[in-house]
Amino acid sequence: MIKTDVLIVGGGPAGLGAAIETTKAGLRTIVVDENQRLGGQLIKQTHKFFGSSSHFAGTRGILIQDELVKEMEKGNLKLLEETACSAIFDDGIAGIYDVKRNRFEKVKAKRTIIAAGASEKFIPFRNNDLPGIYGAGGVQTLMNAGGVLPGKKILMIGAGNIGLIVSYQLLQAGASVVGIIEAAPKQGGYEVHLAKIKRMGVPVLFNHSIIAAEGKDKVEAAVIGEIDKNWKFIDGKQRRIECDTICLAVGLTPTSELLWQAGVEMMYLPALGGYVPRHNEYMQTNVPGILVAGDAAGIGEATSAIIEGRLAGLSAAKGLKVKMDFGKRYNDLLTYLDGLRRGSTGFKVKAAKNTVWNKKEEIKGDAFARGSKTKRAPEPGRKKPYIVIECDEDIPCNPCEASCSFKAIEIGQDITNPPVFDAEKCTGCLKCITSCPGLAIFGIAESGEPGKTVISIPYEMLPLPEKGDKVWACGREGEIICEAVVHSVRKSPNKTHIASIIVDGEYKNDIRHFIPFSAKDAVICRCLDITCGEIEEAISRGYTDFEELKRYLRVTTGPCQGRTCRSIIMGMIKAGTGIDPSKGSTGTRRPPEASLPFSAFVKKGRRSGGKNEK
Amino acid sequence: MKNSAAVGIIGGGISGASAAYFLTKLGVNDIVIFEKSYLSSGSTGRCGGGIRQQWTTPANVKLAMRSVHHFERYEEELDFGFDYVQKGYLLLAFTDKEKAAFAKTVEMQKSLGLKVDLVTKEDAKEIVPHLNTSELVAASFCPTDGLGNPFLATYGYIERVKEKGGTVLNHTRVTAIERKGGEYLVRTDKGDFTCKYILNAAGPWARDCAEMLGYDIPVKPERHQILVTEPLERMVGPMIIDFYHGFYGSQEKKGGFVMGEGDPSEPESYKVSSHWKFIESIARKFTYLFPGFRDVKILRQWAGSYCVSPDAQPILGPISDNDPNYMLSVGYSGHGFMLAPATGEAVAEWIVHGKPRTMDISHLTMERIRKGDFDQEHNVV
Ligand SMILES: Cc1cc2nc3c(=O)[nH]c(=O)nc-3n(C[C@H](O)[C@H](O)[C@H](O)COP(=O)(O)OP(=O)(O)OC[C@H]3O[C@@H](n4cnc5c(N)ncnc54)[C@H](O)[C@@H]3O)c2cc1C
Ligand SMILES: Cc1cc2nc3c(=O)[nH]c(=O)nc-3n(C[C@H](O)[C@H](O)[C@H](O)COP(=O)(O)OP(=O)(O)OC[C@H]3O[C@@H](n4cnc5c(N)ncnc54)[C@H](O)[C@@H]3O)c2cc1C
Ligand code: SF4
């Protein structure tokens, strides 16, 4: 058993930030990272970072880690690369696995900081287990760290920042990106990242999704299709695109296996990527001795990961009674972090983090809704509808202002100004929704039924849904949030129609889209080949607890232990039963974090088992 | 909401589910099952799935044989698959003393009609070619032993019970029981129920549910750990038991090896957390028994509770003469899945006919506990 003051799991920005503080505080520190090189996501980032110039902005990601390592007090540090933390047992002892030596070792640390970063989300489609299908992160690793191209002709799924950046990097590396498809009508990433790609002639198809991968032993093509407003593939609008690689960039979620194992309380917060550990602003969790930092504590960006790491390191030092002026150090870091969490995206993270810290419910009220400014907010309990404008960018555009006969939306002379909304002038006619070319205006109204809200969503796809249709309501990332019923459909001559759905009021700030009950033959649990239809059928037969579903269908029991499918299944349970996934059972996480062989536990040269052992 | 039932069953594990099913077969459909969490959340959902008839007490052998009779008909009768396979159990003897004990037991088992044999180390190697038999002395083998999936077996019983009108209340915890004019008032966190009969099938929590009426029954919860590997091609048919080192393991229908051990130092507790000692010790045992599988990967370890009785035999029937309608189906000591069809049938008959008809269960009641007249079962891991 190895004994140490601090064990840090993950050598990305957060883990390295933590190690700077703990080593400087004189604590014996072990950092384990399962990769061959430290740096986490940073080593994949050859692009220049956005952010504040005092903290590495404009520096390429791959250089930042060297800077971090320089700052550490090496005498107190043990860096273990290619070593994964595979368990946190019930007595707090961690199990680490040295991949090269095939050796399992126990670590007894006074403090454990989990900075394990994020994992990629996956989406179901036919043949999604063919070789040649990668997550964007995997592709980045191959390319930027390993110097290998995954293929020659790449189809990218997802036009968020990661999809856009990775596409660009693929182009830089000499691959051809045959297209980027995005289910939403608009890219999720920065406009400038999109522009970079488009300039290089890559076709970007919005309102498109992937139906299937094709190929004998590996990907030879992808079948994609245009989707209608119900997220249904439109007949006759499907096509085959030749490619040898399909790259998925559909979002990140905190790597949480070890946190669940250790008994940390987890909360479901879509704004932070899914399940996140409950922690305070000093990065302590509810389990004594366990701290968190970085993407593992909620998806963010690299600079704030470093700062969170440093906070966690400080808290470890404070807990271990190191003498120093903690008040000032904490204060500096917290102020700095606050500065990073400005702007519309940062604000969302901050709002969500506040929820984590205070354990209050997710921030309510529209002040935290994305984007544009509000002059006068709707008064509480307002009966008539009002709108939310989620327009983040300085786009030269003002039809919303022009559409409103009551002057409730103001843009002014400079049409790149963001719209300013005045709720007091708004009559709730919802005309503006149909006017916005970015489909960024949504209507919100009390339904008359207690606790229920009607959300009005701009819709441009045919056929239109009908009143009474059941749908799954989705969030901004297309994640399923709950079941909903279509309340009304209002047609507009300009073809941007308004579809309104009834949802639980608590989700009114999250729901911005809806889809019909989904494709039956899509594989959800890829390890065991279990389809969406089978899961829906089981839910409808009464297997509505995650644990029952798991035992009935064996979903999540394959080699990936639910990493990719658990959250989709939780969403389906929620959609089918209306029960919030964080309220039912969410599945126990158990060691090992990733599978490892028996031989790792058996000392070499020593005869194992047998009669002499007893 | 329903607030009364002829029979209130505490526990949605295999014991409660099986009893409910056999009750409906005898025409009693007015049943409520109280389950504090989800169905199979107790021992049943953590079980190794072994179905063995090679026991050292005649009572356990007979219950297991009767259960196998039911398991063999289960899929057809219930129209519900539970991954049942009959590839036998191979029990290993590493000393002459063990071999002698096996020989005696096999004799007794044969006299009860079980098809079982004491086999040589060469035979054992033939039955399980991957097994390290270098230090083996002998083994006993019963080809009709096997494996099944306990959760599916539970869900199958429950589906049929629900069809007949039985009620299952998940996430409903029984908090107190009171006597009320010849019936019982069952208090739960979701409301009160009046029941003529109560069946305590609460597994590891059985003692707490007996205490609700003021009884102290001699069962205790004990953690047992278990793990599963990545799925491989099917190479090992039978379940292997090694009492000498304290090991059991099998390759389930889907290809993963499932294995566990007995840890004599495990204290009484309700905990089901995972400990590193288990994974280290079982790795030594498994790689000794199956050297060729050294590099097979462990997927997941977990744990569950045994409900342990003084003689490792179940405790069935009325809790006392004063409360003849409060029934027990408890104390399974790590083999409650494989006995469940027979014990469910027995308990159902007790409720409907006043005593079991198919089998004689008289030596498995509270009576033996009170008298201290135990027939100790030895073949436990
Ligand atoms: C394509 C892309 C572009 C980005 N662009 C920017 C940008 O421009 N600006 C910006 O600020 N941010 C950017 N980010 C985000 C930034 O990279 C992350 O927020 C940051 O790296 C998070 O740091 P971390 O230390 O929390 O996690 P990571 O960097 O993910 O590090 C976690 C480390 O822990 C290791 N690990 C996980 N589990 C275990 C285990 N059980 N045992 C051992 N090791 C383990 C992982 O292998 C990894 O090395 C980008 C991210 C991506 C994917
Ligand atoms: C690791 C392990 C391996 C095993 N391997 C085997 C094997 O190979 N073969 C075999 O036959 N057996 C095996 N067993 C034993 C077997 O799992 C049990 O004997 C069997 O499942 C017992 O079933 P049960 O229905 O009696 O109890 P349980 O399955 O524990 O059911 C009791 C239920 O009662 C509920 N409950 C308790 N108190 C209350 C209350 N107050 N209100 C409402 N509900 C309550 C619980 O939530 C629980 O779901 C194993 C056990 C373990 C732990
Ligand atoms: S809802 Fe009608 S009144 Fe309100 S801002 Fe939009 S157009 Fe103006």
Side-chain angles (χ1 to χ4, degrees), chain A residues 10 12-14 33-35 40-41 45 47 49 84-85 116-117 294-295 300-302:
Chain A
D33 195 294
E34 61 199 7
N35 289 317
Q41 297 287 346
Q45 311 308 333
H47 67 293
F49 271 46
C85 179
D295 282 358
E301 38 70 60

Side-chain angles (χ1 to χ4, degrees), chain B residues 2 19 45 186 251 285 292 344 353:
Chain B
K2 197 174 163 70
V186 179
Q251 196 178 8
K285 296 174 186 176
H353 303 306

Side-chain angles (χ1 to χ4, degrees), chain A residues 444-493:
Chain A
I444 294 193
E446 300 298 324
S447 76
E449 223 184 303
K452 298 281 182 186
T453 300
V454 178
I455 301 198
S456 298
I457 294 168
Y459 246 81
E460 294 189 334
M461 286 156 286
L462 295 170
L464 281 174
E466 283 177 25
K467 184 177 173 170
D469 280 1
K470 276 198 174 170
V471 294
W472 284 353
C474 308
R476 295 184 179 83
E477 315 287 330
E479 77 278 16
I480 296 169
I481 293 183
C482 62
E483 204 178 287
V485 176
V486 175
H487 169 270
S488 59
V489 179
R490 226 158 92 184
K491 283 195 192 160
S492 158

Side-chain angles (χ1 to χ4, degrees), chain B residues 11 13-15 35-36 41-44 47-48 50 174 204 248 334 336-338:
Chain B
I14 188 71
S15 302
E35 170 50 59
K36 67 180 165 64
S41 58
S43 314
T44 303
C47 166
V174 174
Y248 67 86
F337 164 56
M338 62 184 84

Side-chain angles (χ1 to χ4, degrees), chain A residues 90 106 541 590 596 599 614, chain B residues 159 244 272-273 280 295:
Chain A
D90 58 358
K106 298 183 293 286
R541 281 175 76 153
R590 296 277 193 175
L596 63 168
S599 49
K614 190 122 189 200
Chain B
E159 287 211 1
Y244 186 86
V272 289
S273 50
E280 287 189 336
D295 289 317

Side-chain angles (χ1 to χ4, degrees), chain A residues 536-552:
Chain A
E536 282 177 356
E537 143 91 13
I539 293 173
S540 70
R541 281 175 76 153
Y543 298 95
T544 53
D545 195 292
F546 173 77
E547 290 282 3
E548 285 175 3
L549 209 53
K550 167 178 155 189
R551 286 171 172 77
Y552 181 63

